[in-house]
Amino acid sequence: QVQLVESGGGLVQAGGSLRLSCAVSGGSFPSYTMGWFRQAPGKEREFVAAISWSGGGTQYADSVKGRFTISRDNAKNTVYVQMDSLKPADTAVYYCAGSRYSVATTSRQYVYWGQGTQVTVSS
């Protein structure tokens, strides 16, 4: 059974930074494309970023491009997202997810999901 556990969320002021981590167990982490999604209250879950199994390919939502950086450490079965220049609009629950697609930017392409971690950006 594949388990994903996010950590690193919290409260930060606008302009600040956070790094989220997602530890994966029970599966073949190095073979998965990994992604981050977020869901704000009253809104649909949206794609944030994704990284290929090798780390050589990344995709970002336009809203976070240039501010967020996704990375992975296959030796540690962990994926990260470094979030800089945070804005109040980034406030959401952030989820990591695993996919068997080589490129995956939609939630339906992901089969493994974590429980989420709250990120709150104050103005």
Side-chain angles (χ1 to χ4, degrees), residues 16-39:
S17 299
L18 282 175
R19 188 176 83 152
L20 305 183
S21 300
C22 174
V24 181
S25 62
S28 182
F29 176 81
S31 68
Y32 301 147
T33 291
M34 296 299 298
W36 287 94
F37 289 75
R38 66 186 182 187
Q39 188 167 19

Side-chain angles (χ1 to χ4, degrees), residues 4 24 28-37 47 49-55 57-59 70 72 74 79 96-106 109-112:
L4 290 73
V24 181
S28 182
F29 176 81
S31 68
Y32 301 147
T33 291
M34 296 299 298
W36 287 94
F37 289 75
F47 170 75
I51 188 167
S52 65
W53 67 272
S54 67
T58 57
Q59 294 82 39
I70 189 171
R72 66 190 295 161
N74 286 346
V79 61
C96 76
S99 172
R100 295 195 180 99
Y101 286 85
S102 58
V103 178
T105 59
T106 64
Q109 292 176 293
Y110 287 81
V111 292
Y112 306 116

Side-chain angles (χ1 to χ4, degrees), residues 28-89:
S28 182
F29 176 81
S31 68
Y32 301 147
T33 291
M34 296 299 298
W36 287 94
F37 289 75
R38 66 186 182 187
Q39 188 167 19
K43 295 187 177 181
E44 293 187 353
R45 189 171 298 187
E46 65 174 358
F47 170 75
V48 174
I51 188 167
S52 65
W53 67 272
S54 67
T58 57
Q59 294 82 39
Y60 294 93
D62 287 343
S63 58
V64 307
K65 203 171 292 184
R67 300 188 298 120
F68 289 14
T69 304
I70 189 171
S71 61
R72 66 190 295 161
D73 185 338
N74 286 346
K76 296 182 178 180
N77 284 6
T78 303
V79 61
Y80 309 94
V81 61
Q82 176 67 41
M83 306 186 296
D84 299 319
S85 301
L86 283 162
K87 306 174 182 179

